[in-house]
Amino acid sequence: MEQKDYRPMWKELGLNLEGHDQLLAVLGKAYKDIYLSQENRPKGMQYLDFVISEAHGLRIEELMETKKKGNKVIGTFCVYVPEELILAVGGTCVGLCAGAEIGIDEAEKVLPRNTCALIKSFMGFKLAGLCPYIQASDLVVGETTCDGKKKAYEILNDYKETYVMEIPQMKTERDRALWRGEVVQFKEKVEEIAGRKITPENLRQGIKTANDKRRALQRLSTLRKAIPSPISGLDALLVNQIAFYDDPLRFTKSIQALCDELEDRVKNGVGVVKNRTPRILMSGSPMAVPNWKIPFIVETSGAIVVAEESCAGERSTRDLVKEDGKTLDDMIEAIVDRYMKIDCACFTPNEERIGHIRDLAKEFKADGVIHYNIQFCTPYSMEAYKVEKALQQKGIPTLKIESDYGMEDAGQLKTRIEAFLEMVRG
Ligand code: BJ8
């Protein structure tokens, strides 16, 4: 099928067409080398291949269509932003581009060099004119999680209006009250942008849509507990990454269909690897699309990733919003409660996260944990010490790695990961 020419749309969005062509060429090659080279992939992954191939094309066209009908597009960088409120007003919530080393020269003109790659990436995408999602967004929402992000949003605001939600640092009653205030204020902002009121009816539907998406992702996660796993860690990560920008109803349906196929595989003992392949739990900083470097190295070194303790994984799908609320107030409370449970390393203390990692390692029968943090990410690199100590006490082998989005350290990482897998195999 001939590829449609989206250049007029990209031009209208103000993208840097030459740079964008280069980006797509690099991404297309990386996807082919990393994803399409895998063997025995489930058929259901064809949908994800299609979504990725049209991430800057058809999906953006869909967003432009919905905008023409008066619906709003809201761009986010963090799983703290309550998608339910955006869905309630007929809006679309999209995760913004932040997973590639692109536009870095532009980013370093306004940010210190020793800034985490995720932050440099979103700034670079904007400054270099390469992210159609931010261009299509009616509002960008930041949040006061780590210091790097909150200061970067002040700068981003000079280029695109950025609304910032205050995220508490602790989880006391006082913090919950602060967060409740933020959720209510965000609700008002969403209503103002959309020119529509949030009602119990539309919020109930928004909660259901977001929960259904999480339920599909939870089902996928449960199926990966099987030995052998019916899907690679790379493919499962891709599903979790695409969850941030695909149409939620279509995505949920497609992932449920993928899970039906995986269920058959599990029943028939079919996996993507042999039974004795070392099972790895990845934990730490989120991997935004197209950050596939570490799982690719792990899975081409003879192991399989069976779960991700990260925001592109369990941390954003584990908890649902309670669906039994009758009034608008009940539903807001349920949203506040659900989001307060997120165990981002930006919180102190953050013992829940340590417990979750231990539980996941046990439930998924992980042979080892790889704790990954993006270079210069202070919250996750600091917390790695406690994670490692807690896992050591349980006799779970742990490898701590730090990296950015570049490929310069790929060889060195492979050597370390292979040595770790040797040790895990005993
Ligand atoms: S809830 S993990 S999505 S903040 S990697 S920018 S923390 S220096 S991305 Fe995150 Fe929300 Fe937390 Fe999740 Fe800062 Fe670390 Fe960079 Fe990070």
Side-chain angles (χ1 to χ4, degrees):
M1 208 171 74
E2 207 180 307
Q3 186 82 35
K4 185 169 173 189
D5 181 13
Y6 294 112
R7 288 170 72 90
M9 174 178 76
W10 294 332
K11 195 166 172 211
E12 203 184 314
L13 281 169
L15 290 187
N16 161 1
L17 291 186
E18 206 181 308
H20 190 250
D21 283 350
Q22 285 165 9
L23 168 71
L24 292 191
V26 172
L27 282 185
K29 178 164 183 336
Y31 194 75
K32 194 163 160 244
D33 294 347
I34 295 175
Y35 274 91
L36 303 182
S37 63
Q38 296 179 97
E39 283 172 16
N40 198 12
R41 293 177 82 209
K43 285 202 180 59
M45 286 307 295
Q46 283 170 5
Y47 172 71
L48 287 302
D49 292 341
F50 177 71
V51 174
I52 273 282
S53 71
E54 289 291 343
H56 283 204
L58 190 60
R59 184 63 185 134
I60 301 299
E61 203 171 61
E62 287 178 350
L63 296 182
M64 301 314 284
E65 283 302 315
T66 187
K67 279 161 70 83
K68 270 190 211 145
K69 291 180 195 144
N71 300 316
K72 300 298 172 188
V73 173
I74 299 194
T76 63
F77 297 104
C78 178
V79 298
Y80 257 99
V81 180
E83 183 176 4
E84 294 80 357
L85 298 172
I86 299 168
L87 292 168
V89 294
T92 307
C93 179
V94 288
L96 299 174
C97 302
E101 193 183 40
I102 199 99
I104 206 148
D105 295 341
E106 293 297 315
E108 286 182 358
K109 284 182 192 158
V110 297
L111 297 173
R113 288 195 68 195
N114 56 353
T115 300
C116 109
L118 190 145
I119 299 172
K120 270 194 213 170
S121 178
F122 72 66
M123 193 66 84
F125 265 105
K126 174 62 194 152
L127 297 186
L130 298 173
C131 173
Y133 289 90
I134 199 164
Q135 298 305 103
S137 294
D138 296 288
L139 181 72
V140 169
V141 187
E143 69 321 306
T144 61
T145 43
C146 66
D147 287 352
K149 266 179 158 182
K150 70 185 170 218
K151 297 312 285 182
Y153 295 136
E154 292 176 18
I155 302 170
L156 184 66
N157 189 50
D158 291 345
Y159 302 92
K160 179 91 185 179
E161 189 198 339
T162 306
Y163 175 92
V164 176
M165 294 188 81
E166 182 167 359
I167 312 291
Q169 307 277 291
M170 299 177 91
K171 290 191 175 169
T172 64
E173 273 308 306
R174 242 189 1 238
D175 296 301
R176 189 190 179 283
L178 181 150
W179 176 236
R180 190 186 185 286
E182 284 298 310
V183 171
V184 171
Q185 197 172 301
F186 182 59
K187 169 185 163 285
E188 285 157 12
K189 181 73 184 174
V190 169
E191 288 176 327
E192 177 203 315
I193 292 273
R196 286 176 204 161
K197 280 280 170 206
I198 294 183
T199 65
E201 291 69 37
N202 63 26
L203 187 53
R204 186 170 298 117
Q205 190 52 50
I207 290 173
K208 184 173 177 331
T209 302
N211 275 349
D212 284 348
K213 180 164 71 168
R214 294 181 190 119
R215 277 190 271 263
L217 292 166
Q218 287 174 354
R219 185 175 170 214
L220 171 68
S221 171
T222 303
L223 287 160
R224 295 168 75 197
K225 290 181 184 168
I227 300 178
S229 174
I231 185 167
S232 69
L234 272 168
D235 278 337
L237 173 64
L238 185 72
V239 171
N240 279 292
Q241 290 173 330
I242 287 179
F244 288 103
Y245 68 87
D246 196 14
D247 172 80
L249 297 177
R250 184 179 57 207
F251 174 83
T252 300
K253 213 169 141 208
S254 306
I255 301 313
Q256 290 291 7
L258 170 68
C259 289
D260 292 343
E261 183 188 350
L262 299 184
E263 215 160 75
D264 281 345
R265 282 188 166 202
V266 172
K267 265 187 219 143
N268 297 317
V270 176
V272 282
V273 287
K274 296 202 178 78
N275 281 5
R276 294 174 61 84
T277 304
R279 299 167 63 83
I280 299 298
L281 166 65
M282 290 292 314
S283 170
S285 303
M287 292 178 186
V289 71
N291 180 10
W292 303 309
K293 182 165 81 173
I294 309 294
F296 176 66
I297 295 175
V298 172
E299 297 199 330
T300 49
S301 301
I304 181 155
V305 176
V306 290
E308 298 77 24
E309 186 279 322
S310 89
C311 288
E314 296 287 327
R315 200 176 306 125
S316 70
T317 58
R318 183 177 50 228
D319 300 305
L320 302 179
V321 175
K322 277 201 181 149
E323 290 183 33
D324 55 1
K326 304 242 174 327
T327 64
L328 198 54
D329 241 23
D330 295 342
M331 292 178 212
I332 295 288
E333 293 300 328
I335 289 173
V336 171
D337 284 338
R338 187 261 167 201
Y339 283 84
M340 272 306 272
K341 286 187 194 146
I342 298 172
D343 53 355
C344 175
C346 296
F347 278 87
T348 183
N350 196 27
E351 290 303 320
E352 308 97 286
R353 177 168 173 243
I354 314 284
H356 282 139
I357 298 172
R358 269 196 309 240
D359 292 349
L360 285 173
K362 195 166 163 216
E363 281 168 34
F364 284 80
K365 299 190 181 67
D367 298 297
V369 174
I370 297 184
H371 189 280
Y372 158 77
N373 73 266
I374 300 180
Q375 194 182 19
F376 305 122
C377 169
T378 307
Y380 284 92
S381 61
M382 288 267 187
E383 209 158 272
Y385 167 77
K386 291 198 104 184
V387 172
E388 188 181 36
K389 200 165 140 206
L391 293 173
Q392 265 168 2
Q393 281 165 1
K394 291 276 168 197
I396 303 167
T398 309
L399 174 69
K400 286 192 297 185
I401 54 181
E402 181 166 82
S403 186
D404 57 15
Y405 292 170
M407 289 310 284
E408 295 78 14
D409 60 352
Q412 195 199 33
L413 286 171
K414 189 162 172 63
T415 307
R416 287 187 64 206
I417 288 170
E418 282 174 349
F420 176 66
L421 295 176
E422 261 322 298
M423 195 262 281
V424 161
R425 282 192 195 97

